[in-house]
Amino acid sequence: MNRLVTRISVVCLGGAMLLAPCAFAKRHKRQKDFNLKKNPLANVHSEQPDKILFDKAMHAMKKNKFDIARLDLETLLNTYPESEYAMRAKLAVGDTWYKEGGTAALAQAEAEYKDFITFFPNSPEAAEAQMKVGDIYYQQMEKPDRDPTNAEEAEREYRIMLEQFPDSPLVPKAKQKLRNVQEVLAERQFEIGEFYFSREDWAAAIARLQTVADTYPLFSHCDQALISIGDAYTMEAQSMSRAKVPAKVKEAMVRYYEDRAAAAWGRVVTHYPLSPNVDAAKDRLIAMARPVPHPTRQELAESQAAEESRESVHFGARSFIQMLLRSPSTVMAARVGQPTMTSPPPVLAPQVINQDKAAFQAVSAGKPIPQMIPLINPAASETASAANQVQSNVSAEPSGTLSFQSVPNAGSGGTGNNVSVEVPGGQAPASGNNAPLVAPVGPTNNKPLPPIDKPAKEAQQINEVPKTQVRAAEVHTSANASGKPSRKKKKAKYYKHDESSSRHKRKKGLGKLNPF
């Protein structure tokens, strides 16, 4: 019985070993056919030379032999410019540089993709090329506290892709990457605004944070930016309450700053009702005795979708690795919502200062405070600044009456057309053929100037004393009582218990007790 079972097992094992190669060959053939069908231009039975060159280039690029792949693709483009593979070969040249990596290679890849879009603007692959251009800058994007050039370029390229190719299947991917880029740019502006806030530079902090709130509404910390804006206006109101100004002006300006703060906190409640800082905004409004607004159903739904789409940040190996990487973290970026396609003009600190000055001048003149000017509209701030400049110029003018007098044109030697100039006090300048337009500057008398005093001669400097004087001094100081000169110098008495020198060492320890 055991022998029969053994024979049956051997037969089955042998049959399996014989059928295994056939099954592997069929499976490998099916997989090969499937991979070839991925390329719509591939033809299994085709032996055309352009197709052979294209397949060789694709195989070389798969093996990371980018130089060989580019050589085959360039040969295809130069030899068969009318080939059906020409368009794909042109795009593949950029792919070789893109996959090779490095700063120089990525710059060359961008140039190749731009050329492809120029030559084939209406092809479906043009959207892919524009997407790759944005990915080039996306890969080189740095953290928010570093150079933002690559992030700004990536934002611009993704916007171009969404505007020029709205029907491309790559649009959802491009929108998500654009949201990630704008998260990094908003984080940069937010950190700068918080830095100014910590330094109590309220105008600069308001300008930066207002730019974040107006330009990047999908930013993960946009609610915190609005909270800080309201706090900055509150601090300005407190500073105004301590200023030495009339009570009426003080009250109006405090109300003005509190209105700005309440508007910022109200925007948190209405636009970000499910954010972590909405309770803080409501508490501030209640403390200021201002009404708390209520968000609509659409605003609630949008806020809920945005908050649920964000990924939670865990402090672990992932965060530790992120600290070592050069690229920024975009886990907090929203996964839903329309990214900003057109950035409004950034808010500048001088605009905030000029707006506050305009409100203060209106209150001081007894006029009502103008309506809140949106900070994203620089035209109003520029108008207020121009009005302030005109007012300062008018106040600096002389009190005399201005009149126009005819003065000969200096370019015509006193003849010809006359030029009207504005003279203070109605005084006409001197006239005549040789009369200058401007009076000479200098003394009116013609007395000659006194001669220049010559510097005194420097006294002769002697660094050495004559030997005769040295000898006489020695004889005079060393004379004894008998009147005889002595050239020997007496040595000072040495106290070995209290003094120490290079020849005599001071006693230490028990040696001080020994009198001998």
Side-chain angles (χ1 to χ4, degrees):
M1 184 66 182
N2 294 334
R3 186 177 298 177
L4 179 61
V5 172
T6 303
R7 289 181 180 178
I8 294 175
S9 301
V10 170
V11 172
C12 294
L13 180 61
M17 294 177 64
L18 292 175
L19 296 177
C22 299
F24 177 79
K26 292 182 180 179
R27 179 183 177 185
H28 182 68
K29 184 176 181 181
R30 287 197 304 269
Q31 185 177 3
K32 183 177 180 181
D33 294 343
F34 176 78
N35 292 336
L36 290 175
K37 290 179 181 179
K38 285 184 178 180
N39 185 2
L41 301 178
N43 188 1
V44 180
H45 304 289
S46 176
E47 296 295 337
Q48 297 178 0
D50 54 348
K51 191 262 180 185
I52 294 175
L53 285 173
F54 185 78
D55 291 343
K56 286 178 59 179
M58 294 298 102
H59 182 72
M61 187 166 60
K62 185 178 180 181
K63 298 295 183 181
N64 295 333
K65 299 179 181 179
F66 303 110
D67 295 338
I68 299 176
R70 279 193 293 270
L71 182 61
D72 294 336
L73 293 172
E74 293 292 343
T75 303
L76 171 62
L77 293 173
N78 296 331
T79 308
Y80 308 99
E82 302 297 332
S83 173
E84 58 181 348
Y85 295 92
M87 183 175 65
R88 295 295 305 178
K90 182 67 176 176
L91 184 62
V93 172
D95 292 339
T96 57
W97 291 110
Y98 180 79
K99 291 184 178 181
E100 184 174 347
T103 305
L106 291 177
Q108 190 66 30
E110 180 185 0
E112 294 292 339
Y113 289 138
K114 292 290 186 181
D115 291 343
F116 180 85
I117 296 173
T118 303
F119 285 106
F120 309 99
N122 299 324
S123 62
E125 289 80 3
E128 180 183 353
Q130 184 62 40
M131 185 71 181
K132 291 286 184 65
V133 174
D135 293 342
I136 289 173
Y137 291 104
Y138 187 86
Q139 291 181 1
Q140 303 177 81
M141 186 171 57
E142 299 183 7
K143 293 183 178 180
D145 57 345
R146 301 298 178 182
D147 186 12
T149 303
N150 291 325
E152 293 173 354
E153 291 293 333
E155 181 185 29
R156 185 175 64 87
E157 296 298 338
Y158 285 136
R159 284 177 174 176
I160 292 175
M161 190 269 171
L162 294 175
E163 291 174 357
Q164 295 184 356
F165 310 99
D167 299 331
S168 173
L170 298 174
V171 166
K173 185 178 179 181
K175 284 186 177 181
Q176 183 55 48
K177 288 196 172 182
L178 181 57
R179 284 190 287 264
N180 295 343
V181 172
Q182 291 181 351
E183 177 77 13
V184 176
L185 293 175
E187 181 70 23
R188 171 182 172 80
Q189 296 287 344
F190 176 75
E191 291 179 357
I192 296 174
E194 291 294 328
F195 172 79
Y196 286 132
F197 187 89
S198 64
R199 295 299 184 272
E200 298 184 359
D201 191 349
W202 311 124
I206 291 171
R208 292 284 184 169
L209 298 174
Q210 190 71 39
T211 301
V212 173
D214 295 336
T215 308
Y216 308 108
L218 296 178
F219 177 47
S220 57
H221 300 294
C222 194
D223 54 338
Q224 180 60 45
L226 292 170
I227 291 289
S228 299
I229 291 174
D231 293 343
Y233 278 118
T234 304
M235 298 304 296
E236 287 192 336
Q238 294 179 4
S239 300
M240 179 58 63
S241 63
R242 296 189 296 267
K244 295 181 179 180
V245 295
K248 185 177 180 181
V249 176
K250 182 187 299 185
E251 181 182 358
M253 289 303 300
V254 169
R255 189 185 308 111
Y256 165 77
Y257 287 125
E258 290 181 350
D259 290 342
R260 304 286 285 181
W265 295 332
R267 185 173 174 183
V268 176
V269 178
T270 55
H271 289 70
Y272 308 97
L274 298 180
S275 65
N277 294 307
V278 65
D279 293 335
K282 291 180 179 179
D283 294 341
R284 284 169 167 80
L285 290 173
I286 294 173
M288 196 180 288
R290 297 300 179 95
V292 179
H294 297 282
T296 61
R297 292 185 178 180
Q298 182 179 359
E299 291 171 342
L300 283 171
E302 292 177 355
S303 179
Q304 181 178 1
E307 294 299 328
E308 291 178 353
S309 66
R310 306 183 195 276
E311 297 182 5
S312 58
V313 181
H314 301 283
F315 293 95
R318 183 177 183 181
S319 300
F320 178 74
I321 294 174
Q322 186 64 35
M323 293 173 60
L324 303 178
L325 296 178
R326 184 180 180 182
S327 59
S329 175
T330 57
V331 294
M332 292 297 294
R335 300 296 187 271
V336 296
Q338 184 68 19
T340 305
M341 296 300 298
T342 303
S343 299
V347 182
L348 304 178
Q351 298 177 8
V352 181
I353 295 173
N354 292 334
Q355 183 173 339
D356 295 344
K357 285 183 179 179
F360 184 81
Q361 291 174 359
V363 171
S364 301
K367 300 179 181 179
I369 298 179
Q371 297 294 330
M372 290 186 182
I373 305 173
L375 293 177
I376 61 174
N377 183 15
S381 299
E382 293 176 359
T383 304
S385 177
N388 297 337
Q389 185 68 22
V390 170
Q391 185 176 2
S392 62
N393 293 339
V394 170
S395 61
E397 290 178 355
S399 58
T401 306
L402 299 179
S403 61
F404 291 91
Q405 301 293 339
S406 297
V407 181
N409 190 358
S412 59
T415 60
N417 298 330
N418 294 334
V419 180
S420 296
V421 296
E422 200 172 14
V423 182
Q427 298 177 0
S431 60
N433 295 334
N434 298 325
L437 292 178
V438 181
V441 179
T444 57
N445 56 358
N446 296 326
K447 295 181 180 181
L449 297 175
I452 301 175
D453 296 336
K454 296 183 179 179
K457 293 184 178 180
E458 185 179 0
Q460 185 178 2
Q461 184 177 1
I462 301 175
N463 297 329
E464 296 181 358
V465 181
K467 296 181 179 180
T468 56
Q469 297 180 6
V470 175
R471 291 176 182 177
E474 291 178 355
V475 171
H476 178 72
T477 55
S478 61
N480 52 14
S482 62
K484 294 181 180 181
S486 175
R487 295 187 180 181
K488 293 183 179 180
K489 187 177 181 181
K490 294 183 179 181
K491 295 183 179 180
K493 191 175 181 179
Y494 171 69
Y495 299 93
K496 59 182 179 181
H497 295 285
D498 300 329
E499 299 180 4
S500 177
S501 65
S502 60
R503 293 185 180 182
H504 305 280
K505 300 298 182 181
R506 184 179 178 182
K507 291 186 177 182
K508 299 180 181 179
L510 297 177
K512 294 182 179 181
L513 303 177
N514 186 7
F516 303 102

